[in-house]
Amino acid sequence: MKRRTLNKEALQKKRSSYQKIFSETLSELDKRVSVILVAPKYGGNIGAVARLMRNYGLSDLRFVSPPEIGDEAMARAMNGKDILLNARRYGNMQDAIDGFRIVAATSSAITLDDRKFRRLPETPAKFWKRALKTDGNIALVFGREDDGLRNTEIEMCNSFIHIPSNPEYPVLNLSHAVSIILYEMIRDLEQKLPQTSDPIEDENMSRLVDSVMDIITMTDYPEYKIPNTRVMLSRLMARSEMTQSEYFKIMGIIRFLRFKLGTDGTNGEAPEKLY
Ligand code: SAH
């Protein structure tokens, strides 16, 4: 009973630390990062982008050549409806990007020729690593579903992001491209998050190997194989990334096997439970 209460507290602590790390990071990003859609056509995409922004804690959505916000966009926006309704609307790109330190064009069409600066690609990961080191505001600019961003629009941007994808068909759906780029924005968070599961304690690793070896010796497993089998098991354990819960489960199985083999000292009583 006591153990259960402690586990519950530990879980609650883990949960709130997980949430705290997220909300602090996302609210910092929200102050700095905006998404600009240039002349998007399809309500489905527009709604999906608003939803994605909510997924990643952003709120400043801007439209250049604003579309009508129809039923489909609203339906697809789900919890991002407010973002959609509060989106800022601009008649031209220059006004939309005014005041941003980093303005990143995104495109499926790239060049590998170092002298053609306009479309020299940077991966989303590299972009974020660089951009998040600065302290200025960041605008991510996405193009039309049919013909993307025009050269004149790309020239207004001081960064250029390309999501690596099949060179024979590198064109992602607009909202999918937004999704990948926003996910990359929070990738570094991974290192800050609390471990999602408790790793097995060191002494339990050898306890488990000992228990398996004990069981083995209760059978007619050839004795000459035992040293090598022990080494194999301990190497396997060291690589396993086993959690404490998995350890308890396996120990439960071993206890059950011992009982079946009749040498667990319980005088024939079944173990209480099989974890
Ligand atoms: N023929 C257009 C395709 C537009 S797809 C073009 O080549 O740009 C709609 C938008 O999705 C693009 O303007 C861009 O913002 C984004 N996008 C699609 N594929 C992408 C990729 N591989 N990398 C980065 N952005 C991409």
Side-chain angles (χ1 to χ4, degrees):
M1 197 59 201
K2 188 147 186 239
R3 203 175 116 205
R4 185 162 287 169
T5 327
L6 281 178
N7 278 346
K8 212 171 156 190
E9 270 169 27
L11 186 62
Q12 184 54 42
K13 217 170 136 200
K14 201 195 266 181
R15 209 178 276 142
S16 52
S17 127
Y18 187 93
Q19 279 168 0
K20 188 162 174 274
I21 290 169
F22 256 95
S23 58
E24 283 173 4
T25 309
L26 294 187
S27 85
E28 279 311 301
L29 288 168
D30 187 30
K31 287 181 206 144
R32 299 183 54 193
V33 182
S34 302
V35 173
I36 302 179
L37 300 184
V38 177
K41 285 194 179 59
Y42 303 116
N45 281 337
I46 296 165
V49 170
R51 177 183 185 163
L52 276 162
M53 288 179 68
R54 180 92 169 95
N55 290 141
Y56 289 96
L58 302 183
S59 57
D60 186 30
L61 174 61
R62 300 174 178 216
F63 292 117
V64 176
S65 306
E68 285 300 317
I69 304 296
D71 291 347
E72 188 176 3
M74 285 305 278
R76 288 285 297 276
M78 302 296 288
N79 280 24
K81 286 189 179 65
D82 279 0
I83 296 173
L84 200 51
L85 293 172
N86 295 325
R88 300 180 207 204
R89 306 165 80 82
Y90 297 86
N92 63 69
M93 175 142 155
Q94 196 57 60
D95 290 344
I97 62 175
D98 189 37
F100 287 93
R101 161 113 170 243
I102 294 179
V103 182
T106 58
S107 178
S108 57
I110 62 171
T111 177
L112 297 178
D113 181 345
D114 275 354
R115 292 162 304 178
K116 298 198 170 143
F117 301 106
R118 197 195 288 131
R119 287 178 184 269
L120 273 178
E122 190 169 36
T123 62
K126 278 201 180 141
F127 168 76
W128 285 115
K129 202 160 179 226
R130 176 174 65 77
L132 292 175
K133 266 191 223 143
T134 69
D135 52 10
N137 289 350
I138 301 167
L140 304 169
V141 187
F142 295 87
R144 305 156 184 82
E145 287 94 337
D146 45 7
D147 52 12
L149 293 172
R150 313 232 154 96
N151 279 340
T152 49
E153 290 159 345
I154 290 179
E155 283 159 11
M156 292 181 207
C157 301
N158 56 18
S159 299
F160 183 87
I161 307 172
H162 170 72
I163 301 163
S165 38
N166 183 0
E168 284 171 23
Y169 186 47
V171 185
L172 276 77
N173 162 275
L174 168 61
S175 67
H176 296 184
V178 174
S179 165
I180 291 170
I181 291 176
L182 294 191
Y183 172 63
E184 285 292 341
M185 173 181 79
I186 64 149
R187 270 289 282 279
D188 272 1
L189 219 80
E190 273 172 27
Q191 285 134 41
K192 295 193 215 154
L193 291 175
Q195 288 233 329
T196 45
S197 42
D198 287 335
I200 183 171
E201 287 166 10
D202 288 349
E203 67 260 29
N204 287 344
M205 263 201 228
S206 38
R207 212 168 271 157
L208 180 51
V209 174
D210 288 346
S211 303
V212 174
M213 295 314 294
D214 264 9
I215 291 273
I216 289 176
T217 54
M218 288 173 197
T219 68
D220 51 7
Y221 189 76
E223 213 178 316
Y224 74 92
K225 287 190 174 174
I226 285 184
N228 202 26
T229 305
R230 171 181 279 279
V231 174
M232 182 275 292
L233 271 177
S234 60
R235 300 278 160 91
L236 181 62
M237 284 297 303
R239 288 202 313 269
S240 73
E241 298 188 4
M242 185 179 282
T243 65
Q244 279 285 87
S245 312
E246 287 163 342
Y247 163 74
F248 285 129
K249 187 97 182 168
I250 291 180
M251 287 303 263
I253 294 170
I254 291 175
R255 193 172 316 143
F256 191 78
L257 289 172
R258 266 173 176 281
F259 165 71
K260 285 290 173 189
L261 291 169
T263 52
D264 68 331
T266 57
N267 297 327
E269 272 174 49
E272 221 173 76
K273 60 170 183 156
L274 188 56
Y275 276 89

